[in-house]
Amino acid sequence: MPRRVGSAVPVTDAGAPIRLLHLESDTDDADRVAALLIAEGLGGPIERVSTRSDFAAALGQNYDAILAADGVPGLDGEAALALALERAPHIPFIFVSGTLDVDVAVDALKHGATDYVVKQRLERLPAVIRRAVRERAERAARHVAEEALRLATQAAQVGIWDYDPVHDVLRWDARCRALFGLRPGATIRYDDSFLAALHPGDRASVEAAAIAAMTPGGSGAYDIEYRVIGLEDGGERWISAQGAAHFEGGRAVRFVGTVIDITERKRAHAAVAASEEALRAESDALEILNRLSREIAAELDLEKLVQTVVNAGVTLAGAETGAFFYTILDAQGQAYQLYALSGAAASAFENFPMPRSTALFGPSFRGEGVVRLDDVQADPRYGSTGPHFGMPAGHPPVRSYMAVPVSLRSGEVVGCLFFGHAQPGRFSLRIERLAVGLAAQAAVGIENARLFQSAQRLNQTLEEQVAARTAERDRIWQVSADLLGVADGEGRWISINPAWTRLLGWEADEIIGRTGEWMRHPDDRAQTAAEARKLFAGEITTSFENRLRTRSGDYRTFNWRAVPFDGEIYAVARDITAQVEQAAALAEAEEGLRQSQKMEALGQLTGGVAHDFNNLLQIVIGNLDMLKRHLPDDPPRLRRAAENASAGAERAATLTQRLLAFARRQPLAPSPVAPDRLVEGMIELLHRTLGETIRVETTFASGEWMVEVDPNQLESALLNLAINARDAMQGGGTLTIAVDHLSLDSPISGQSEVPAGDHVVIAVSDSGEGMAPEVVARVFEPFFTTKDVGKGTGLGLSMVYGFVKQSGGHVHIASRVGESTAVRIYLPRLLACGTAVANVPDAGEGSGGGSETILVCEDDDGVRANSVESLRELGYAVLEAADARAALRLLDGDDTVDLLFTDVILPGGMTGSDLAAQARGRRPDLRVLFTSGYARDAIVHHGRLDPGVELLPKPFAFEELAMRVRRMLDG
């Protein structure tokens, strides 16, 4: 029998007394050990055993260390060690042996002993025990930390890898395997799994980074992003890996770290980069066109001008070659001469004849429009004309082809710009538009150069030259679409062209003799005056924007260029109103895209949390319901505790539903609803909820317009708005709910754009204190609240916003500090409908039990157990299954099942929807009630429940389950 010895009570690092188990048949030796440990403060309690059976029985208890002699009757030391390792491997095993043999000691340590102390040197024993107990405590702490890390990484979807480079052993957890496209049980090797899955473009850099991390002398750090191709699923993913190598004896002995999936982040970065690249391309194109415009305006040499145009065109179009063919009539009446080249030497074309008006070239030279071909060699016109029937031998290769006529204002086609590239599909519609703009500028430049050359040729008399040039400038002055004007040194207009009247509506005598300040937009006057001062000081204005008022009262935006000369200012302004509006529209669209992406990210996050969280809440709420039903009234403290716990769980459930509503992931059951009748049915509820200090007023439009919404969610949204209004009226006030009809011929803008058409408008307004503009701008953001901590989640208005948007409607909010707040919900009118659904069935309807048979299919053990117990408490006969296939087997074996109650998300490859379809194939009359914490796309599409689907959302209370089951069976 075990015998306890010792008197002193030592403690572990955690503060608990140290317990020792001593296997020793020699009483004297046992007493010597006990006396030594007592002297060293390690004396008890010590349990001594001297037989195999006592030793085996004692191993079932929790000791801090085991002391063992070489053997006792019926059990030698080696067998004792083996038995201890089998039954209590976590307890340190210390041999206290009378055998002074190094080989025996080494052999014992190899077989798993913690230490080996000979009785001749018994004074070592206290230190050995302390070290063993301390190391055990450290191992336990590490185990707790590692388990916490495992749970944390699992929750964060972080994969963990651990590589032993000494023995070439690689270990991956399930998440890591999934990221590399492997099933959970697949064999893992460094070369065949890790290196083999790396994208060919990344393998060298990843392998080099791993080798560098495991090379002694370095930091050992490993931080890299790379692509993998799933070894089994073939999917390409971006992965971020971080880790560190651990070294012993000058070599890496362990290489551990984590991996996460950054595919979506990479895609988002790529989209941003593409957008930035597109913006850079547009900016570069505008810079080229602006520079070209200046150069064309300053260049009157026709040969240099055309070469400048062709060079700019090749750059803008990304072409390999560009050419300008200038029209020259030959003896036959039609021919073309190569005038300028870019991207190829003149020698590459000098041996080719002049191009002729073939089926491909002719339309361009006749000015019939732009010809842009992704592959000219695939066009039926290509190669249809001899003698070459295509490009002559030695011609630079051309697949992508674009020809743009260059026409003067008179309509005369002076030539054509041609661009080519050896690769097909290189010229987009955007490039075509840039080329058309380039051709227009080239036409202006050519016309100016022609005018200059004409003036030179008309050098016969000064009067003729002056008259001709004055006439040309007058024509330009008269027909120019830009504002042209001359001002004196104080900014008063001396002369303006007719474009001022055409664009602004003011007559010349209303402008001449005055500065333009009276036409300028008030916000632009200061910077315009500053720019004018620069002009008066002799500086040139190359690009300046401001807005001028038209006779009709609106404003147009102009881009100015001006030059001071001889005490006067010469200015030209181009109307860029359309470009400014397009830029604003583009910015608005980009902001809408960012908001959409934010909503989608929140929706994915919410959906991922909702399913598991609602399952947990179902277990909590279901069991609390059962506890409350069976608790005695005394003592009342227990019932109050259960009620408080239930209230907390229900708040958590409400929070989850509001998140789903804002993210537009909640399942809706829309039906035709008359909003005025629904509001009338809420009056009593509003009075009870808001209290006596709030007066509720309602107004309704004449006639009845219907909408298609989920009536429960609309009622919840209006109740949320009413509660928010009450909180804004601290001393009481008036809450007004108005239902109106609105027909729009054009959209209206606000927090979101309401499209044209018929709408029902539900306006909830209060007489409260109002909100500042910066608060109004954020009211629909999730978790944003101005209430004190603990008095609001910040999800009420977010839920309203998400529900209305999911229902195809729009929400506008108007508020001013010190006045009031009005929230307007715009819902599209339902023109063709049946009977309106104004409210939901009475919660008490059909809430009793029954004796029918119900098949429950739920993979979560806790949820299933609670559901089964609740149904049995209601009197039903219940069959239960953990997956769809088990449910089908039960259904095949029992023809008395009246109702299938199934979760939507099930394991094993079959959803609840799949189970219902197969069950109804066997039993067409079988009733099916679904339940889910987050149904995703199995029974919910476009935010709406599929027709005929009955869903009991998790978490549900006992009464809700009883009512829905009874209604299903009675229906």
Side-chain angles (χ1 to χ4, degrees), residues 68 177 181-182 234 357 370 591 598 620 655 904 917 958:
R177 290 169 189 263
L182 288 175
S357 184
V370 177
E591 178 61 25
K598 181 169 71 174
V620 174
L655 179 63
V904 175
F958 177 80

Side-chain angles (χ1 to χ4, degrees), residues 285-430:
L286 289 174
E287 176 60 29
I288 291 172
L289 290 174
N290 286 335
R291 184 176 67 250
L292 180 65
S293 178
R294 293 193 299 270
E295 292 176 357
I296 286 176
E299 185 57 70
L300 295 175
D301 185 300
L302 188 58
E303 183 176 352
K304 292 181 180 179
L305 185 150
V306 171
Q307 187 64 56
T308 299
V309 169
V310 175
N311 291 342
V314 168
T315 301
L316 283 173
E320 290 182 340
T321 57
F324 180 87
F325 288 97
Y326 189 76
T327 307
I328 295 179
L329 295 178
D330 59 11
Q332 287 73 37
Q334 186 80 55
Y336 308 95
Q337 175 185 351
L338 184 67
Y339 201 92
L341 283 173
S342 183
S347 58
F349 288 87
E350 61 187 7
N351 296 323
F352 301 141
M354 290 184 297
R356 297 175 298 122
S357 184
T358 62
L360 185 61
F361 289 154
S364 303
F365 287 122
R366 292 192 294 270
E368 295 177 1
V370 177
V371 177
R372 176 171 58 89
L373 301 174
D374 287 337
D375 189 348
V376 66
Q377 297 183 23
D379 190 275
R381 295 171 291 183
Y382 176 79
S384 62
T385 307
H388 299 289
F389 298 99
M391 285 176 284
H395 192 286
V398 174
R399 298 291 295 279
S400 294
Y401 170 88
M402 183 168 61
V404 184
V406 179
S407 304
L408 302 182
R409 296 179 185 178
S410 63
E412 176 190 354
V413 180
V414 296
C416 191
L417 286 166
F418 292 89
F419 301 101
H421 198 286
Q423 299 296 324
R426 299 303 294 262
F427 302 142
S428 64
L429 179 60
R430 169 184 167 274

Side-chain angles (χ1 to χ4, degrees), residues 173-243:
D173 68 356
R175 179 60 180 164
C176 193
R177 290 169 189 263
L179 290 179
F180 280 76
L182 288 175
R183 63 187 184 280
T187 303
I188 303 301
R189 294 186 179 89
Y190 186 84
D191 291 335
D192 298 339
S193 303
F194 172 58
L195 295 181
L198 295 176
H199 190 284
D202 298 339
R203 176 166 180 167
S205 60
V206 176
E207 190 171 8
I211 291 172
M214 291 186 287
T215 300
S219 66
Y222 178 70
D223 189 348
I224 192 169
E225 296 178 355
Y226 54 85
R227 294 165 290 174
V228 297
I229 299 176
L231 294 171
E232 293 178 353
D233 62 14
E236 182 175 318
R237 302 175 183 85
W238 270 98
I239 285 178
S240 173
Q242 293 181 321

Side-chain angles (χ1 to χ4, degrees), residues 537-558:
E539 297 184 25
I540 295 174
T541 293
T542 58
S543 180
F544 175 76
E545 295 180 8
N546 69 359
R547 290 163 289 180
L548 298 181
R549 179 167 53 88
T550 67
R551 181 178 289 277
S552 60
D554 59 346
Y555 286 88
R556 303 194 68 81
T557 305
F558 293 88

Side-chain angles (χ1 to χ4, degrees), residues 730-881:
Q730 295 295 329
T734 301
L735 171 74
T736 303
I737 302 179
V739 180
D740 201 358
H741 303 155
L742 178 66
S743 295
L744 295 176
D745 295 327
S746 59
I748 59 175
S749 298
Q751 284 89 354
S752 62
E753 185 173 274
V754 181
D758 290 342
H759 303 269
V760 174
V761 184
I762 306 175
V764 180
S765 57
D766 61 58
S767 58
E769 55 194 26
M771 295 180 286
E774 60 271 16
V775 176
V776 173
R778 299 186 60 194
V779 291
F780 293 129
E781 293 183 8
F783 303 113
F784 176 77
T785 180
T786 58
K787 299 177 183 178
D788 294 337
V789 176
K791 294 187 177 180
T793 62
L795 285 172
L797 286 176
S798 302
M799 181 276 288
V800 174
Y801 177 87
F803 157 68
V804 174
K805 298 296 285 185
Q806 191 175 354
S807 300
H810 304 271
V811 184
H812 286 184
I813 184 168
S815 183
R816 288 187 178 182
V817 176
E819 295 185 9
S820 62
T821 299
V823 180
R824 292 178 176 84
I825 297 176
Y826 297 82
L827 296 171
R829 180 186 182 187
L830 179 63
L831 296 177
C833 65
T835 304
V837 178
N839 44 41
V840 296
D842 184 7
E845 177 187 342
S847 60
S851 59
E852 292 91 341
T853 300
I854 300 175
L855 172 56
V856 176
C857 185
E858 168 63 61
D859 61 302
D860 189 290
D861 295 338
V863 176
R864 186 175 66 254
N866 177 254
S867 300
V868 169
E869 183 65 27
S870 297
L871 291 170
R872 285 175 176 162
E873 185 176 333
L874 290 166
Y876 297 107
V878 182
L879 303 176
E880 55 181 297

